[in-house]
Amino acid sequence: MKGIRSILIAFGLFAFACSSASAYGPSPLQDFCVAIKDINNVFVNGKFCKDPKLAVAEDFFFSGLNRSRNTSNPVGSNVTMINVDIIPGLNTLGLTLVRVDYAPYGVNPPHTHPRGSEILLVVEGTLYVGFVTASPENRLFTKILNPGDFNIGKTAAVAFAGLSSQNAGRITIADAVFGSNPLINPDVLAKAFQLNKNVVKYLQSRF
Amino acid sequence: MKGIRSILIAFGLFAFACSSASAYGPSPLQDFCVAIKDINNVFVNGKFCKDPKLAVAEDFFFSGLNRSRNTSNPVGSNVTMINVDIIPGLNTLGLTLVRVDYAPYGVNPPHTHPRGSEILLVVEGTLYVGFVTASPENRLFTKILNPGDFNIGKTAAVAFAGLSSQNAGRITIADAVFGSNPLINPDVLAKAFQLNKNVVKYLQSRF
Amino acid sequence: MKGIRSILIAFGLFAFACSSASAYGPSPLQDFCVAIKDINNVFVNGKFCKDPKLAVAEDFFFSGLNRSRNTSNPVGSNVTMINVDIIPGLNTLGLTLVRVDYAPYGVNPPHTHPRGSEILLVVEGTLYVGFVTASPENRLFTKILNPGDFNIGKTAAVAFAGLSSQNAGRITIADAVFGSNPLINPDVLAKAFQLNKNVVKYLQSRF
Amino acid sequence: MKGIRSILIAFGLFAFACSSASAYGPSPLQDFCVAIKDINNVFVNGKFCKDPKLAVAEDFFFSGLNRSRNTSNPVGSNVTMINVDIIPGLNTLGLTLVRVDYAPYGVNPPHTHPRGSEILLVVEGTLYVGFVTASPENRLFTKILNPGDFNIGKTAAVAFAGLSSQNAGRITIADAVFGSNPLINPDVLAKAFQLNKNVVKYLQSRF
Amino acid sequence: MKGIRSILIAFGLFAFACSSASAYGPSPLQDFCVAIKDINNVFVNGKFCKDPKLAVAEDFFFSGLNRSRNTSNPVGSNVTMINVDIIPGLNTLGLTLVRVDYAPYGVNPPHTHPRGSEILLVVEGTLYVGFVTASPENRLFTKILNPGDFNIGKTAAVAFAGLSSQNAGRITIADAVFGSNPLINPDVLAKAFQLNKNVVKYLQSRF
Amino acid sequence: MKGIRSILIAFGLFAFACSSASAYGPSPLQDFCVAIKDINNVFVNGKFCKDPKLAVAEDFFFSGLNRSRNTSNPVGSNVTMINVDIIPGLNTLGLTLVRVDYAPYGVNPPHTHPRGSEILLVVEGTLYVGFVTASPENRLFTKILNPGDFNIGKTAAVAFAGLSSQNAGRITIADAVFGSNPLINPDVLAKAFQLNKNVVKYLQSRF
C-alpha cells in the first residue's frame, strides 16, 4: 500500500461520455448457482448452473489480479473485467470486479456500462475521473480541475472498480461508433457528429 | 394510416452507438402515484405523489402527439419524450412514449437510453434502424442494407417508440462527448478518439 | 397521419374492469437473449435463447402492423399482441406492443393485463378510454364524459399500446368468468354476480 | 386445531376470474421502514417512514385475527386484509396476510390482486378453490370436482392467505364492472358481456 | 379455532440473531412455471418448468399441514417449510409457507432467512417472538416482556409463517457456526466468540 | 502493489456463519439522487435526495481509504463500510465499498450482510476466507486447507470488498446473539446453543 498516492471513489461511469447506466440483475433464488457453459447452443437469461452439490471453492475464486497488464496500446490503458464469464460463482450475485491499468498519461476512453453502476478505487498512481449525466443535460462531474480519466502522473496507475452486475457490459464509445462490424454508413456519422465525411472514413479506418 | 409505408419494430437502441441499456424501475406499491413537483427542494428516487383521492383523468393523459415537430436543425430530427415529467400519472409505471420526427434525410444521432429498452414503430416514411451491441463486441444490427437511423426517403418520417422506464433518459453521444458542460479536456478526447487535438477543439466549438 | 383525429394516452388498463396490474420482468443479464422454442418440453421463467453469435436483425423485427385487422365479431374489436412469442428478440427486454382495431361502435371489452402497465396511443378515429382502480375503491377514470373504451365515431379506429412486459398477458373478464374451460360452477357465479342461475347458464352458453 | 378438516394450499387467485397477477415490490434498503401517514398530503411510492430509532415492537404486531368476522352479506364471506395500512412495519417487506371467513355455502367472489401472488391455507371447514389462467387461455384449475371458492360444508369456514406484496390490492370483478363510481356506460357493458342492456342496468342497481 | 390463545404477527426473523434479511425473487414472466427436476444435472436460477399445457391442479396443492410434527429434539421445535421444492407450482411466485411446531418450552433457535422477510401467525399456544436488527445496531424487538421465540405455556404451540420467496432458505446460527461440514477452525471461533477453545470444540462435538 | 502477497476473490460472506444473503435495491429512476438527511424525522425507503442541479463532484467521492485502521480490539480486525451514509451519491446505485484491516492473526468474526452479496479483494497480506451455505445445508467453502477468515501471516493484512447494495447492513453473529439491547433471555440461548445457562450469562457479559 506504500504506492498509493491518493484514493478516490467514483460512482457511475469514470469515463466522460455516457451517464450512469444502472441496471440490477434479478435476485438469486438459491444460495448460489455456479455458471456452466451453454448446453447444446441453448442459453438462458444469465447462465445455466452446475449441480450445487458439485460446487467447489475454486468456483468462487480468481487469482492474478496483482499482475500488471500490458498498456502498450493507443490509449495507454487496459481493462480487465472479472465478471461471471471469469468467475462462474458470480452468477446471480450481481457483482463484477474490474482492474484498470494505466500507462503514464494513459486514458481509459469514454465508455458506458449498459448494465451496472460503478464504484472506483484508485490503489496506485493519480487519476482524474469524471462522468457526464443525462439530466442535468450533459453535465460533466470531475474531481479535480484537470478533467479526464487519465493518468496525469508520470508513473503508471492502477484502479479497481466494482460494478453492480454479474455482466455489466462495456461499450467504448469510439469503438462502437467508428469501429462496428459492419461499419455504420459514413453519411449517418458525418451528419450526426458534424464531421466531414472524409474524417469519418479516416476514423473508421483507424478503429 | 394511408401514409404508412412500412412498419418496423426495433428493440434496444435505434441508434448506432451504445447497446441495449436496460433498467427497469421499481414496481408500483399502489394502483397509481401521480407525480408532483419536489417539496422544498427535496427529492426521492422517482417522484413525490399527490393524494390519490385527488387524482383526475387528466393526470394520465396527454394530447398533441399528432402535431409535427420542427426538424430544422443540423441533424434533421426532433425527439419528443413523453415521460413522467410530461404525464405525471406515469410515475411508478415504467413506461415512456417517444415521438421522433425526421426531415428528409434526417438523422436521429447515435444515442443511448441509460434506463430502458426500446420498441420502435414507424408510422410514416421509411427508416433504417439499427443498434450496436457490447457482446458480441461492437456488432451492428440493421434491418436494411443501408444502415442508419435516418430517413432515406425524400419525404419526412415519423416514428413512435416505447421505452421500459418512466424516465429512460437519453444521451446523445456526440453532445455528451464534445458538448458537455464544462468541456472535457481535449487531450483526453484526442487520445480516446485518435483525433488531432485541433479537430477535437473544432468539434467542441460546434456542439 | 392525416387520419388522426385525436391522440390520447392512457396508462394502466384502458378497459373498465380491473385496475392497474403492473409487474416488471427481471432485468436482462446480457445485451439480448433471442427466444427460442422450449427444449424437449422443458421451459424456464421467460424463454430459452439462441446463441447470441447467431442472432440476426430479423430476430428483432416484425412487419405488418399497418394492416387492418378483422373486427367482425360480437364486440367489434381485434387485439394484436406483438410480444415475445411474436418477436423473439423481445425476450428479457420488458416490452410488448399492441395494435387494437375497432369497428364503428366497437368495444374492447373489460380486461386486465396481469403483468404490465399500459400506455395507449390512438392513431386513427376517436376512442373513449378509462380504467377502474382498486384504491380508491372501484373508482372509474375516463377522459371524456361518455365513458367506455369504444369507438363513438362512425368510422373505424386504431390504437397502439405499449405494455411494460415481454408477456403481459390479457384476461378478458367476461371470457374468464363465463367461458373458462371447464366452466365455473354456475351456483358460484350466480351468488357472486347476484344473477339468476339461469342467466348465468345462458351467459356460459354464449362465451 | 381440532376444527381443521382439511388443509389445502393454492397459489395465485383462489377466485375464478383473473389469473395470477403477480408483482413484487421493491426490495427494502434498510432493516425496516415503519410506515407513517402522508405528510401534508404528499405521498411516495409505498409509504413515508418514521425514525427507525423510534420504532417499537407494536409497529410490527397485530392481534385479533382469531375473532370471527361477520359474514351476513349477499356473498356470505368476509375478507380481512392485514397489509401495510394495518401493520405499518410491513412497509418495504413485500408481504400481506389475509383472513377470509365463509358462512355456510358462502362464496368469496371472483377477484384479482393486481400486485401479488397468493398462498392459501384453510384452517377450518372445507373449501374448494380454483383460479383461471390467461395462458393456457381461460383454463380453470380447481382442486376438487365441484369447482368454486365457496364453502360446500354446512358449517362456517376460515382460511388464511399470504400475499407477496405489502399492498396487494383486491378487485372484486363484479363490483368493479357493475359498481364503479361513476358507473360504466351500460352500452359498453351490454356489448362486452353480451347482456341485454336492461340486465346491465339491473345489475348496476344491485352493486 | 377454539384452541387459539393469541394471535401475533411478526415480520422479519422471529428469531433472535440475524435481522430482516429480505430479498425478493424475480417477477414471473408467465402465469405459472411449474418446477420440474434438473435436466441432466443442469440447473437455472430458480427451476426448470414443465409444459404449461400439462399443468394440473395438484401442482399447486399440498395437504397435511394440519398434522402435528414431532418436537422430540434438543430444542423442542420442528420447522416444516413448504417451498418450491414441495409445491412445484410456487416457482416464480415468491412465496413460501412454513409450519412451526413447539413442544412445551420449546425454542425455535436463532436463525436467519437469507432470501425473504417473514410474517408469523400463531394459531395455537402462546409464543414470544422477536428479532434483532442491524441498524439500529443489535436492537432487540420483542412483543412481550419475556423475550424469546419459545413457548412459555405448558402446552404445545403451532404457528404458520409466510415468507416472501419461493426458496427463502434458513440458516440456524448455532448449526452453521458450530456444525458446518467441514468444521470451522476452532481457533477462529474461539477468537470470534471470545470462548475458550475447548468450549468451542465441545460445542462442535454437539452440533 | 509491492505488498500484495496474493489476491483472492470471494463472493457471498467471507465469514463462516451465515450464507449468501443477497438482496438488490430498487433500480434508480434518474441519473443520480444524492442522499440528504431525513426531513423533520420523516424517512423513505432509501433516502431523500438533494436537488440534482445542486449536486457537486464531492457528493460522489471519498478519500482516506489508504489509511490503516486501528485493529487493537479483541478480534483484531476493523471494518470500514463506505456506504450511502458515507458517500451520499451512492443512493439508488446499489453498491457499497468496504475496507477491512486485520492485525496479525486477526479475525473478521462470522457475520452476515442482510442485503447484499460480496466480492472480496485482498490487497495486502494473506487471508483465508470462506462461507457457509444454507443449501447444501451448512456446507463450508474455504479456499485453503486452514479454514478461517483470519490472517495467518505474521503481518497485517488489508482487503477491499464490494457489496451489491447501497446499505448492505452487517450483523456480527456473536454480537447480535449475545450482545443485543436488551439482552435475549438466557434460557432461550442456553437451549438454542446447547450451552449451560451460566456460560450464556458469561458470554452476555462480554459482548
Side-chain angles (χ1 to χ4, degrees):
Chain A
M1 300 288 281
K2 294 287 178 52
I4 295 180
R5 298 283 177 78
S6 68
I7 287 182
L8 308 174
I9 297 170
F11 91 100
L13 301 181
F14 53 95
F16 290 103
C18 291
S19 173
S20 54
S22 301
Y24 304 97
S27 295
L29 294 169
Q30 55 287 309
D31 281 13
F32 56 80
C33 193
V34 175
I36 53 175
K37 295 286 181 186
D38 61 288
I39 309 301
N40 298 328
N41 293 324
V42 176
F43 293 73
V44 288
N45 187 24
K47 303 278 184 181
F48 286 108
C49 322
K50 71 196 285 188
D51 186 338
K53 294 189 204 72
L54 305 180
V56 293
E58 280 69 28
D59 291 328
F60 305 104
F61 288 89
F62 175 84
S63 66
L65 271 185
N66 56 331
R67 287 198 300 272
S68 297
R69 265 64 182 170
N70 185 353
T71 56
S72 302
N73 55 49
V75 293
S77 69
N78 192 324
V79 175
T80 306
M81 292 193 78
I82 310 300
N83 60 18
V84 67
D85 290 327
I86 308 299
I87 304 184
L90 279 177
N91 193 36
T92 74
L93 294 184
L95 278 172
T96 288
L97 190 70
V98 181
R99 175 191 170 114
V100 191
D101 290 78
Y102 298 83
Y105 304 103
V107 172
N108 186 1
H111 63 276
T112 180
H113 297 291
R115 289 175 300 282
S117 45
E118 179 167 355
I119 190 165
L120 179 72
L121 173 70
V122 181
V123 294
E124 199 173 292
T126 304
L127 290 184
Y128 288 80
V129 300
F131 54 91
V132 177
T133 61
S135 172
E137 197 176 359
N138 297 326
R139 170 99 184 273
L140 173 67
F141 287 84
T142 57
K143 186 68 186 83
I144 309 185
L145 291 180
N146 304 329
D149 178 20
F150 68 124
N151 187 358
I152 61 162
K154 296 178 182 173
T155 58
V158 180
F160 287 104
L163 299 174
S164 62
S165 168
Q166 69 180 38
N167 180 21
R170 177 191 161 96
I171 295 185
T172 303
I173 302 299
D175 293 344
V177 172
F178 298 111
S180 68
N181 176 18
L183 291 174
I184 296 175
N185 184 320
D187 286 326
V188 173
L189 294 181
K191 190 152 198 174
F193 280 83
Q194 306 286 296
L195 285 169
N196 181 287
K197 190 173 170 180
N198 287 332
V199 174
V200 169
K201 284 187 173 176
Y202 167 75
L203 287 168
Q204 287 184 327
S205 71
R206 297 291 301 274
F207 283 95
Chain B
M1 299 285 282
K2 294 287 178 51
I4 295 181
R5 299 282 177 80
S6 68
I7 287 184
L8 308 175
I9 297 170
F11 92 101
L13 300 181
F14 56 95
F16 290 104
C18 291
S19 173
S20 54
S22 299
Y24 304 97
S27 295
L29 293 169
Q30 55 287 310
D31 280 13
F32 56 80
C33 192
V34 176
I36 52 175
K37 296 285 183 187
D38 61 289
I39 310 301
N40 298 328
N41 291 325
V42 176
F43 294 74
V44 288
N45 186 26
K47 303 279 183 181
F48 286 107
C49 323
K50 72 196 285 188
D51 186 339
K53 295 190 203 71
L54 306 180
V56 292
E58 282 67 28
D59 291 328
F60 305 104
F61 289 90
F62 175 83
S63 66
L65 270 186
N66 55 331
R67 287 198 301 272
S68 296
R69 266 64 183 170
N70 183 355
T71 56
S72 301
N73 55 48
V75 293
S77 69
N78 192 325
V79 175
T80 306
M81 292 193 77
I82 311 300
N83 59 18
V84 67
D85 290 327
I86 308 298
I87 304 183
L90 279 177
N91 192 36
T92 75
L93 294 184
L95 278 172
T96 288
L97 190 69
V98 181
R99 176 190 169 113
V100 191
D101 290 78
Y102 298 82
Y105 305 103
V107 173
N108 186 1
H111 63 277
T112 180
H113 297 291
R115 291 175 301 281
S117 45
E118 178 167 356
I119 191 165
L120 180 71
L121 174 69
V122 181
V123 294
E124 199 172 293
T126 305
L127 290 184
Y128 289 79
V129 300
F131 55 90
V132 177
T133 60
S135 172
E137 198 176 357
N138 297 326
R139 170 99 184 272
L140 174 67
F141 287 83
T142 58
K143 184 69 187 82
I144 309 185
L145 290 181
N146 304 330
D149 178 20
F150 69 122
N151 187 0
I152 62 161
K154 295 176 182 173
T155 58
V158 180
F160 287 104
L163 299 175
S164 61
S165 168
Q166 71 180 39
N167 180 19
R170 176 190 161 98
I171 295 184
T172 303
I173 302 299
D175 292 345
V177 172
F178 297 112
S180 68
N181 175 17
L183 291 174
I184 296 174
N185 183 322
D187 286 326
V188 173
L189 294 181
K191 191 152 198 174
F193 280 82
Q194 306 286 297
L195 285 169
N196 182 288
K197 190 172 169 179
N198 287 331
V199 175
V200 169
K201 286 187 171 173
Y202 168 75
L203 287 168
Q204 287 183 328
S205 71
R206 297 291 299 275
F207 285 95
Chain C
M1 298 288 282
K2 295 287 178 53
I4 295 181
R5 300 284 178 78
S6 68
I7 287 184
L8 308 174
I9 297 171
F11 91 101
L13 300 181
F14 53 95
F16 290 104
C18 291
S19 174
S20 53
S22 300
Y24 303 97
S27 295
L29 293 170
Q30 55 288 307
D31 280 13
F32 56 80
C33 192
V34 175
I36 53 175
K37 296 286 182 187
D38 62 286
I39 309 301
N40 298 327
N41 292 324
V42 176
F43 294 72
V44 288
N45 186 24
K47 303 279 183 182
F48 287 108
C49 322
K50 70 195 289 188
D51 186 338
K53 294 190 204 71
L54 305 180
V56 292
E58 281 67 29
D59 291 330
F60 306 105
F61 288 89
F62 175 83
S63 65
L65 270 185
N66 56 331
R67 288 198 301 271
S68 297
R69 267 63 184 169
N70 184 353
T71 56
S72 301
N73 55 49
V75 294
S77 70
N78 191 325
V79 175
T80 306
M81 292 192 79
I82 311 299
N83 59 16
V84 67
D85 291 327
I86 307 300
I87 303 183
L90 278 176
N91 193 37
T92 75
L93 293 184
L95 279 171
T96 288
L97 190 71
V98 182
R99 176 190 170 114
V100 191
D101 290 79
Y102 298 83
Y105 304 104
V107 172
N108 185 2
H111 64 276
T112 180
H113 297 290
R115 289 174 300 283
S117 45
E118 178 167 355
I119 191 164
L120 180 71
L121 173 70
V122 181
V123 293
E124 199 173 293
T126 305
L127 290 184
Y128 289 80
V129 300
F131 54 91
V132 177
T133 60
S135 171
E137 197 176 358
N138 297 326
R139 170 99 184 273
L140 173 67
F141 287 84
T142 58
K143 184 68 188 83
I144 308 185
L145 291 181
N146 305 330
D149 176 21
F150 69 123
N151 187 359
I152 62 161
K154 294 176 182 174
T155 58
V158 180
F160 287 103
L163 299 174
S164 61
S165 167
Q166 69 181 38
N167 179 20
R170 178 190 159 97
I171 295 183
T172 303
I173 303 300
D175 293 344
V177 172
F178 297 112
S180 68
N181 176 19
L183 291 173
I184 297 175
N185 184 321
D187 286 326
V188 173
L189 294 180
K191 190 151 198 174
F193 280 82
Q194 305 287 298
L195 285 168
N196 182 288
K197 188 174 172 181
N198 287 331
V199 174
V200 169
K201 287 186 171 175
Y202 167 75
L203 286 168
Q204 288 183 326
S205 71
R206 295 292 299 274
F207 284 96
Chain D
M1 298 286 282
K2 294 287 178 53
I4 295 180
R5 298 285 177 78
S6 69
I7 286 183
L8 308 174
I9 297 170
F11 93 101
L13 300 182
F14 54 94
F16 290 104
C18 291
S19 173
S20 53
S22 300
Y24 303 98
S27 295
L29 294 169
Q30 54 288 309
D31 282 13
F32 55 80
C33 192
V34 175
I36 53 175
K37 296 286 183 188
D38 62 286
I39 309 301
N40 298 328
N41 291 325
V42 176
F43 293 74
V44 288
N45 186 26
K47 303 278 184 181
F48 286 108
C49 322
K50 71 197 284 189
D51 186 338
K53 295 189 204 71
L54 305 180
V56 293
E58 281 67 28
D59 291 328
F60 305 103
F61 289 89
F62 175 83
S63 66
L65 270 186
N66 57 330
R67 288 198 300 271
S68 297
R69 266 63 184 170
N70 184 354
T71 56
S72 302
N73 55 50
V75 293
S77 69
N78 192 324
V79 175
T80 306
M81 292 192 79
I82 310 300
N83 58 19
V84 68
D85 290 328
I86 308 300
I87 304 183
L90 279 177
N91 192 36
T92 75
L93 294 184
L95 278 171
T96 288
L97 191 69
V98 181
R99 175 189 171 115
V100 191
D101 290 79
Y102 298 83
Y105 305 103
V107 173
N108 186 2
H111 64 276
T112 181
H113 297 291
R115 290 174 301 281
S117 46
E118 179 167 356
I119 190 165
L120 180 71
L121 173 70
V122 181
V123 295
E124 199 173 293
T126 304
L127 290 185
Y128 289 79
V129 300
F131 55 91
V132 176
T133 61
S135 171
E137 198 176 358
N138 297 326
R139 170 99 185 272
L140 174 66
F141 286 83
T142 58
K143 184 68 186 85
I144 309 184
L145 291 180
N146 304 330
D149 178 21
F150 68 123
N151 187 359
I152 62 163
K154 296 178 182 174
T155 59
V158 180
F160 287 103
L163 299 175
S164 60
S165 167
Q166 70 180 38
N167 180 20
R170 177 191 161 96
I171 295 184
T172 303
I173 303 298
D175 293 344
V177 172
F178 298 112
S180 68
N181 176 19
L183 290 175
I184 296 174
N185 184 321
D187 287 326
V188 173
L189 294 180
K191 190 152 199 174
F193 279 82
Q194 306 286 298
L195 284 168
N196 182 288
K197 190 173 170 181
N198 287 332
V199 174
V200 169
K201 286 187 172 174
Y202 168 74
L203 287 168
Q204 288 184 327
S205 72
R206 296 292 300 274
F207 284 96
Chain E
M1 299 287 282
K2 295 287 179 52
I4 295 180
R5 299 284 177 77
S6 69
I7 287 183
L8 308 174
I9 297 171
F11 92 102
L13 301 182
F14 53 95
F16 290 103
C18 292
S19 174
S20 53
S22 299
Y24 303 97
S27 295
L29 294 169
Q30 54 288 309
D31 282 13
F32 56 80
C33 192
V34 175
I36 53 175
K37 294 287 182 187
D38 63 287
I39 309 301
N40 298 328
N41 291 325
V42 176
F43 294 73
V44 287
N45 186 25
K47 302 278 184 183
F48 286 109
C49 322
K50 71 195 288 187
D51 186 339
K53 295 191 202 69
L54 305 180
V56 293
E58 280 68 27
D59 290 329
F60 305 103
F61 288 90
F62 175 83
S63 66
L65 270 185
N66 57 330
R67 287 197 301 271
S68 297
R69 266 62 183 171
N70 184 353
T71 56
S72 301
N73 54 50
V75 292
S77 69
N78 192 324
V79 175
T80 306
M81 292 192 78
I82 311 299
N83 59 17
V84 67
D85 291 327
I86 308 299
I87 303 183
L90 279 176
N91 193 36
T92 75
L93 294 184
L95 278 172
T96 288
L97 190 70
V98 181
R99 176 190 170 114
V100 191
D101 290 79
Y102 299 83
Y105 304 105
V107 172
N108 185 2
H111 64 275
T112 181
H113 297 291
R115 289 174 301 282
S117 46
E118 180 168 354
I119 191 166
L120 180 71
L121 173 70
V122 181
V123 294
E124 198 173 294
T126 304
L127 290 184
Y128 289 81
V129 301
F131 54 91
V132 176
T133 60
S135 172
E137 197 177 359
N138 297 324
R139 170 98 184 273
L140 174 67
F141 287 83
T142 57
K143 184 67 187 82
I144 308 184
L145 291 181
N146 305 331
D149 177 21
F150 69 122
N151 187 0
I152 62 161
K154 295 177 181 175
T155 59
V158 180
F160 287 103
L163 299 175
S164 61
S165 167
Q166 69 180 37
N167 181 21
R170 177 190 161 97
I171 295 185
T172 303
I173 302 299
D175 292 344
V177 172
F178 298 112
S180 68
N181 176 19
L183 291 174
I184 297 175
N185 183 320
D187 286 325
V188 173
L189 294 180
K191 191 151 196 174
F193 280 82
Q194 306 286 297
L195 284 170
N196 182 289
K197 188 173 172 180
N198 287 331
V199 174
V200 170
K201 287 187 171 175
Y202 167 74
L203 286 168
Q204 288 184 327
S205 71
R206 295 292 300 274
F207 283 96
Chain F
M1 298 285 282
K2 295 289 178 52
I4 294 180
R5 300 284 177 78
S6 69
I7 287 183
L8 308 174
I9 297 171
F11 91 101
L13 301 181
F14 54 94
F16 291 104
C18 290
S19 172
S20 53
S22 300
Y24 304 96
S27 295
L29 294 169
Q30 55 286 310
D31 281 14
F32 56 80
C33 193
V34 175
I36 52 175
K37 296 286 183 189
D38 62 287
I39 310 300
N40 298 329
N41 291 324
V42 176
F43 294 73
V44 288
N45 186 25
K47 302 279 183 182
F48 286 108
C49 322
K50 71 196 287 188
D51 186 338
K53 295 190 204 71
L54 304 180
V56 292
E58 281 66 29
D59 291 329
F60 305 104
F61 288 89
F62 175 83
S63 66
L65 271 185
N66 57 329
R67 288 198 300 273
S68 297
R69 266 63 184 170
N70 183 355
T71 56
S72 301
N73 55 49
V75 293
S77 69
N78 192 324
V79 175
T80 306
M81 291 193 79
I82 310 300
N83 59 17
V84 67
D85 291 328
I86 307 299
I87 303 183
L90 279 176
N91 193 35
T92 76
L93 294 183
L95 279 171
T96 288
L97 190 70
V98 182
R99 176 190 170 115
V100 191
D101 291 79
Y102 297 83
Y105 305 103
V107 172
N108 186 2
H111 63 277
T112 180
H113 298 290
R115 290 175 300 282
S117 46
E118 179 167 356
I119 190 164
L120 180 71
L121 173 70
V122 181
V123 293
E124 198 173 294
T126 305
L127 289 184
Y128 289 80
V129 300
F131 54 91
V132 177
T133 60
S135 172
E137 197 176 358
N138 297 325
R139 170 100 183 271
L140 174 67
F141 287 83
T142 58
K143 183 69 187 83
I144 310 186
L145 291 180
N146 305 329
D149 176 22
F150 68 123
N151 187 0
I152 63 163
K154 294 177 181 173
T155 58
V158 180
F160 287 104
L163 299 174
S164 61
S165 167
Q166 70 180 39
N167 180 19
R170 177 190 160 98
I171 295 184
T172 303
I173 303 298
D175 292 345
V177 172
F178 298 112
S180 68
N181 175 19
L183 292 173
I184 297 174
N185 184 320
D187 287 325
V188 173
L189 294 180
K191 191 153 198 173
F193 280 81
Q194 306 286 296
L195 286 168
N196 182 288
K197 189 174 172 179
N198 287 332
V199 175
V200 169
K201 287 187 171 175
Y202 167 75
L203 286 169
Q204 288 183 327
S205 71
R206 296 292 298 275
F207 284 95

